[in-house]
C-alpha cells in the first residue's frame, strides 16, 4: 500500500503543474523583428514595424482574411448603402470589447477618425482619408473643423460614414490602422504617452502587447481574452526578439530560440535545399529618398540632373544578386509588379509603365558632369542615412562603391543609425539621401503614389508638382468610379514622379526567403499589408 501510495504521489498535482508549465512554454511562438517598435499609436505610426504591431493588437471594421480579402471584423454586417453609394451605415458587433472590458462603440471610430484628420495631430497617414471621407481634404488643410468630417456615431453601435464619391477600394482601406477605433477616455488619459509602451496601450484585436517599455528589443503578444473572436486565436503568446544580424538570427533558429528567420545573400544559397526553406514575392518597393529641401531652403539635390545621375548609376541587378538573392527584383519604378492589374486589359501596372529610371552609368556620368557645372562645383560630398542591420550596412556600402566609381568627383559618407532613428530622420527630413521604402497598405497603386502628394506626411523629399497632385487626388476622388480613367491617371502620375522628376532612386521590389519550423503554421503574410498573427499556431 505504501508503494502504491508513493507511485500515486509521483503523479500528483505538483507534477501536473510542472507539465502544464512545460506545455505552455513549448506553445510560445518565437519570431523576430529587425527593429524595435518606434510607436504603437494608430494615429502616429509611420513605418512597417509599427503597423505590424498595431495590426496584432488592433482591428478595424474589417480585417484581412487568410487569403488577403477584407472580412467583417468590428463590423457586424455589411453596411446599408444609400445616396448613390456615398453614405454607408455600419453596425458595430455587440461582442466587440476593449481589453479593459469596455465595449467598442461607434463613438470610438468617430473619435479616432476625427483625430487622424485634425491638423494639430499631424497624423502620418491622415491623407489616407483625403478626397475619400467627406470634408477630409478641407479639414487637413485647416479650412474646416475636424467635427465636420463625414463620420458620425448615430448611437452606441451604429456608425454612419459619408464619402466624397463611391470608393471601390474603401473596404480595403478599412483594414488599415489609420481607420482603427480608439478609446477616447483611455487615449486622453495617456496624453502624449499613448502608444509609447505596453502600459499606455489598449487593445481591441487578437492580442495584447506586453513587456514593451518603448525602447526594449523584446516584447510579447499575449492572447486578448476580451477579443470577440478569441476562439479562433490559438496562440497563447508570441515572443518577439529584435535581431539585426542574419547570422545571429540563424544561431537562434538552429538552437530552437526562433521558429522563423528571414534570409538574404549567401544564407539563401546555403539553405535553399533545406526542407523548411520558402520564398515569396512582396509588394515592398525599396528606394532611396533625396532631400530637395524644405521650408523654402533648397539643397544641391534640388538639381534634377544630380538626382537623375544618382538614380542611374546603381547596378540594381548586381545588388539583388549579390546582397539579397531572396527573390527580390530590380525595380525601375515606384509601384511594384505582379500584384496590381489594369481593370480592363488586366495587364500588370509595372509592365505597362515599364522602366522609368533604370541603370545607365554612361548617361549617369553625363548628367553628373552637367549637375556639377550647374552647381559651380568640381566635386561633391553627400551622406546616405540608413538603418543598422547587417543587410542595410551592406546595401549602403554597395551604393557608396557604385556612386564613387561611376561618378568621379562624388564622395559618399555612410550614416548607419538604429531603424527608429532612421524613421525619425525621414519624418523630420533630416537627411540628404535616405535608404527606405514602402510596403503598401492595400492592393492599389494609390497606396504608393499617395505618399508623394504636396505636403503629404509621407513625402519628406521637397517634391511638389501640381499636375501630379491633380492626377493622384483625382484617382482618390472624381475618378474613383471610372476604373480605367483612374488607372491611366495613376500611370501618368508615376511617370511624373520618376521619368520626369527623378524624385526617388528606385532599387528593387522585395522578395522574401525564410526558414520556418514545420511546427509553425498560419504565419499569414500578404504581398501588401501588415502580417497577421491571428491564426498562428505551433503544433
Amino acid at each position: 500500500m505504501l508503494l502504491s501510495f508513493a507511485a500515486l504521489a509521483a503523479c500528483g498535482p505538483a507534477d501536473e503543474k510542472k507539465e502544464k508549465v512545460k506545455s505552455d512554454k513549448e506553445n510560445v511562438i518565437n519570431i523576430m523583428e529587425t527593429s524595435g517598435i518606434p510607436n504603437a499609436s494608430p494615429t502616429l505610426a509611420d513605418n512597417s514595424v509599427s503597423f505590424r504591431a498595431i495590426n496584432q493588437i488592433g482591428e478595424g471594421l474589417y480585417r484581412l482574411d487568410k487569403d488577403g480579402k477584407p472580412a467583417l471584423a468590428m463590423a457586424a454586417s455589411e453596411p446599408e448603402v444609400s445616396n448613390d453609394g456615398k453614405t454607408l451605415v455600419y453596425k458595430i458587433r455587440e461582442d466587440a470589447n476593449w481589453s479593459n472590458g469596455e465595449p467598442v462603440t461607434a463613438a470610438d471610430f468617430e473619435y479616432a477618425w476625427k483625430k487622424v484628420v485634425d491638423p494639430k495631430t499631424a497624423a502620418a497617414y491622415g491623407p489616407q482619408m483625403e478626397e475619400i471621407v467627406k470634408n477630409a481634404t478641407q479639414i487637413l488643410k485647416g479650412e474646416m473643423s475636424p467635427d465636420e468630417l463625414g463620420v458620425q456615431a448615430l448611437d452606441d453601435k451604429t456608425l454612419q460614414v459619408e464619402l466624397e464619391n463611391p470608393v471601390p477600394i474603401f473596404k480595403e482601406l478599412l483594414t488599415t490602422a489609420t481607420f482603427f477605433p480608439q478609446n477616447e477616455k483611455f487615449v486622453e488619459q495617456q496624453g502624449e504617452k499613448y502608444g509609447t509602451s505596453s502600459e499606455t496601450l489598449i487593445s481591441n484585436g487578437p492580442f495584447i502587447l506586453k513587456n514593451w517599455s518603448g525602447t526594449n528589443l523584446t516584447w510579447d503578444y499575449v492572447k486578448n481574452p476580451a477579443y470577440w473572436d478569441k476562439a479562433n486565436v490559438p496562440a497563447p503568446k508570441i515572443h518577439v526578439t529584435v535581431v539585426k544580424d542574419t547570422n545571429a538570427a540563424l544561431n537562434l533558429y538552429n538552437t530552437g530560440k526562433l521558429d522563423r528567420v528571414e534570409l538574404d545573400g549567401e544564407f539563401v544559397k546555403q539553405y535553399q535545399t533545406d526542407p523548411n526553406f520558402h520564398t515569396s514575392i512582396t509588394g515592398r518597393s525599396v528606394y532611396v529618398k533625396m532631400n530637395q529641401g524644405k521650408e523654402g531652403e533648397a539643397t544641391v539635390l534640388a538639381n534634377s540632373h544630380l538626382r537623375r545621375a544618382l538614380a542611374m548609376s546603381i547596378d540594381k541587378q548586381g545588388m539583388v544578386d549579390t546582397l539579397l538573392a531572396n527573390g527580390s527584383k530590380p525595380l525601375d519604378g515606384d509601384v511594384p509588379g505582379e500584384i496590381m492589374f489594369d481593370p480592363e486589359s488586366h495587364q500588370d501596372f509595372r509592365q505597362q509603365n515599364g522602366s522609368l529610371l533604370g541603370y545607365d552609368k554612361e548617361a549617369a556620368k553625363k548628367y553628373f558632369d552637367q549637375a556639377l557645372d550647374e552647381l559651380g562645383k568640381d566635386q561633391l560630398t553627400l551622406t546616405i542615412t540608413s538603418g543598422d542591420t547587417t543587410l542595410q550596412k551592406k546595401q549602403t556600402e554597395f551604393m557608396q562603391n557604385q556612386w564613387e566609381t561611376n561618378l568621379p568627383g562624388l564622395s559618399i559618407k555612410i550614416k548607419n543609425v538604429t531603424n527608429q532613428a532612421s524613421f525619425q530622420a525621414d519624418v523630420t527630413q533630416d537627411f540628404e539621401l535616405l535608404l527606405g521604402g514602402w510596403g503598401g497598405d492595400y492592393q492599389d497603386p494609390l497606396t504608393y503614389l499617395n505618399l508623394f502628394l504636396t505636403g503629404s506626411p509621407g513625402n519628406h523629399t521637397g517634391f511638389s508638382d501640381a499636375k501630379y497632385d491633380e492626377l493622384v487626388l483625382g484617382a482618390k476622388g472624381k475618378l474613383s468610379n471610372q476604373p480605367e480613367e483612374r488607372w491611366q491617371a495613376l500611370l501618368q502620375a508615376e511617370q511624373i514622379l520618376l521619368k520626369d522628376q527623378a524624385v526617388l532612386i528606385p532599387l528593387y521590389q522585395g522578395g522574401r526567403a525564410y526558414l520556418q519550423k514545420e511546427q509553425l503554421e498560419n504565419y499569414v503574410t500578404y504581398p501588401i499589408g501588415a502580417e497577421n498573427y491571428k491564426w498562428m499556431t505551433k503544433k
Side-chain angles (χ1 to χ4, degrees):
M1 288 177 64
L2 287 171
L3 288 172
S4 298
F5 181 79
L8 288 170
C11 299
D15 292 271
E16 289 177 10
K17 186 175 181 181
K18 287 180 182 178
E19 187 62 32
K20 184 179 185 302
V21 170
K22 181 181 178 183
S23 176
D24 288 346
K25 185 175 181 181
E26 288 174 347
N27 283 333
V28 172
I29 296 169
N30 296 285
I31 59 176
M32 64 173 282
E33 271 285 4
T34 57
S35 167
I37 305 171
N39 189 294
S41 162
T43 304
L44 300 179
D46 58 7
N47 61 88
S48 59
V49 179
S50 292
F51 285 131
R52 196 153 36 242
I54 293 165
N55 200 45
Q56 316 317 322
I57 63 175
E59 187 166 272
L61 293 169
Y62 293 84
R63 171 178 284 273
L64 293 181
D65 64 16
K66 292 179 183 179
D67 298 319
K69 304 297 183 184
L72 292 170
M74 289 290 101
S77 58
E78 296 295 338
E80 294 180 8
V81 182
S82 60
N83 190 23
D84 295 325
K86 292 190 288 187
T87 300
L88 309 173
V89 177
Y90 297 89
K91 284 291 184 180
I92 310 301
R93 61 173 60 250
E94 292 294 333
D95 54 353
N97 293 299
W98 293 101
S99 52
N100 65 356
E102 294 181 5
V104 176
T105 67
D108 294 332
F109 283 91
E110 180 179 345
Y111 168 73
W113 292 18
K114 288 180 176 179
K115 186 177 179 67
V116 163
V117 297
D118 189 338
K120 294 178 183 177
T121 305
Y125 293 99
Q128 290 274 46
M129 297 190 188
E130 192 174 28
E131 292 297 312
I132 292 179
V133 181
K134 187 177 180 180
N135 298 333
T137 302
Q138 293 88 340
I139 295 168
L140 286 161
K141 291 179 179 178
E143 298 171 358
M144 296 179 73
S145 166
D147 289 334
E148 297 179 84
L149 185 69
V151 58
Q152 182 183 2
L154 301 182
D155 59 42
D156 281 353
K157 291 292 185 176
T158 308
L159 181 72
Q160 177 177 286
V161 179
E162 293 181 274
L163 305 177
E164 294 286 359
N165 295 281
V167 182
I169 63 170
F170 192 57
K171 190 181 290 188
E172 283 78 7
L173 282 171
L174 292 177
T175 68
T176 66
T178 304
F179 292 86
F180 284 7
Q182 294 185 48
N183 184 298
E184 180 176 4
K185 179 182 176 181
F186 183 87
V187 173
E188 295 301 322
Q189 283 178 341
Q190 302 305 318
E192 292 184 359
K193 293 182 179 179
Y194 175 62
T196 60
S197 70
S198 297
E199 285 68 33
T200 62
L201 282 168
I202 190 170
S203 305
N204 74 314
F207 298 96
I208 298 171
L209 185 59
K210 293 285 190 179
N211 304 316
W212 177 57
S213 68
T215 57
N216 57 319
L217 300 182
T218 63
W219 56 87
D220 298 306
Y221 296 111
V222 177
K223 183 174 178 176
N224 181 3
Y227 181 53
W228 69 274
D229 197 29
K230 58 182 178 293
N232 289 311
V233 180
K237 184 167 80 170
I238 300 170
H239 181 67
V240 183
T241 304
V242 174
V243 190
K244 300 178 181 180
D245 178 74
T246 305
N247 193 50
L250 275 166
N251 287 335
L252 292 173
Y253 176 85
N254 289 325
T255 55
K257 296 175 183 177
L258 280 179
D259 296 311
R260 176 181 165 115
V261 60
E262 301 272 340
L263 302 176
D264 53 59
E266 69 268 22
F267 298 107
V268 174
K269 299 165 188 174
Q270 182 179 344
Y271 285 93
Q272 60 188 359
T273 59
D274 190 298
N276 292 326
F277 176 84
H278 309 274
T279 61
S280 63
I281 191 68
T282 79
R284 182 162 180 78
S285 172
V286 178
Y287 46 70
V288 174
K289 283 186 176 182
M290 295 178 278
N291 184 0
Q292 298 182 36
K294 65 177 181 177
E295 298 175 355
E297 293 188 17
T299 70
V300 291
L301 288 161
N303 184 288
S304 64
H305 293 121
L306 176 58
R307 297 197 303 274
R308 199 170 297 278
L310 291 168
M312 298 178 73
S313 56
I314 296 176
D315 179 3
K316 305 169 192 180
Q317 188 68 58
M319 173 182 282
V320 165
D321 291 344
T322 59
L323 301 184
L324 299 165
N326 60 357
S328 297
K329 300 179 179 181
L331 184 63
D332 293 337
D334 177 35
V335 179
E338 302 178 47
I339 299 171
M340 293 156 284
F341 304 91
D342 188 312
E344 286 191 3
S345 69
H346 306 294
Q347 188 176 3
D348 175 48
F349 186 98
R350 183 73 275 125
Q351 288 184 345
Q352 275 185 316
N353 241 10
S355 173
L356 301 181
L357 203 54
Y359 174 53
D360 186 337
K361 64 181 182 180
E362 287 77 18
K365 186 177 183 305
K366 291 179 181 178
Y367 283 123
F368 184 66
D369 290 341
Q370 188 172 352
L372 287 178
D373 184 60
E374 291 167 352
L375 294 168
K377 296 179 179 291
D378 296 324
Q379 55 186 12
L380 193 62
T381 300
L382 295 171
T383 299
I384 181 167
T385 300
S386 87
D388 60 352
T389 67
T390 302
L391 177 59
Q392 289 166 323
K393 289 177 180 178
K394 289 179 180 179
Q395 287 176 311
T396 49
E397 289 167 0
F398 180 92
M399 289 187 284
Q400 178 189 49
N401 178 265
Q402 290 278 296
W403 280 325
E404 292 184 348
T405 300
N406 296 332
L407 304 177
L410 177 63
S411 295
I412 297 292
K413 294 181 179 179
I414 296 174
K415 184 179 180 181
N416 291 122
V417 297
T418 64
N419 274 351
Q420 293 101 311
S422 178
F423 294 144
Q424 184 63 23
D426 186 8
V427 170
T428 58
Q429 207 169 321
D430 183 21
F431 64 88
E432 289 184 306
L433 303 168
L434 180 86
L435 176 61
W438 185 240
D441 294 309
Y442 47 92
Q443 292 190 23
D444 188 89
L446 184 63
T447 192
Y448 299 91
L449 300 172
N450 189 56
L451 293 177
F452 299 100
L453 288 166
T454 299
S456 167
N459 190 328
H460 308 310
T461 63
F463 165 70
S464 176
D465 185 276
K467 183 62 177 177
Y468 181 88
D469 292 349
E470 177 188 341
L471 291 164
V472 175
L473 291 174
K476 298 176 72 173
K478 64 183 180 181
L479 296 177
S480 61
N481 220 24
Q482 303 173 53
E484 186 58 26
E485 288 82 354
R486 177 182 182 277
W487 187 264
Q488 293 300 323
L490 292 171
L491 287 167
Q492 188 179 347
E494 191 196 39
Q495 291 172 20
I496 292 173
L497 185 72
L498 294 176
K499 185 176 181 180
D500 299 345
Q501 299 284 349
V503 175
L504 306 170
I505 301 173
L507 296 173
Y508 60 88
Q509 177 177 350
R512 180 182 284 122
Y514 59 97
L515 291 173
Q516 180 173 307
K517 297 287 178 67
E518 59 183 358
Q519 297 96 328
L520 183 61
E521 297 180 355
N522 291 322
Y523 186 113
V524 179
T525 63
Y526 311 105
I528 293 177
E531 284 92 327
N532 198 336
Y533 302 160
K534 177 178 176 177
W535 305 282
M536 198 190 304
T537 184
K538 187 175 178 180
K539 299 293 186 182

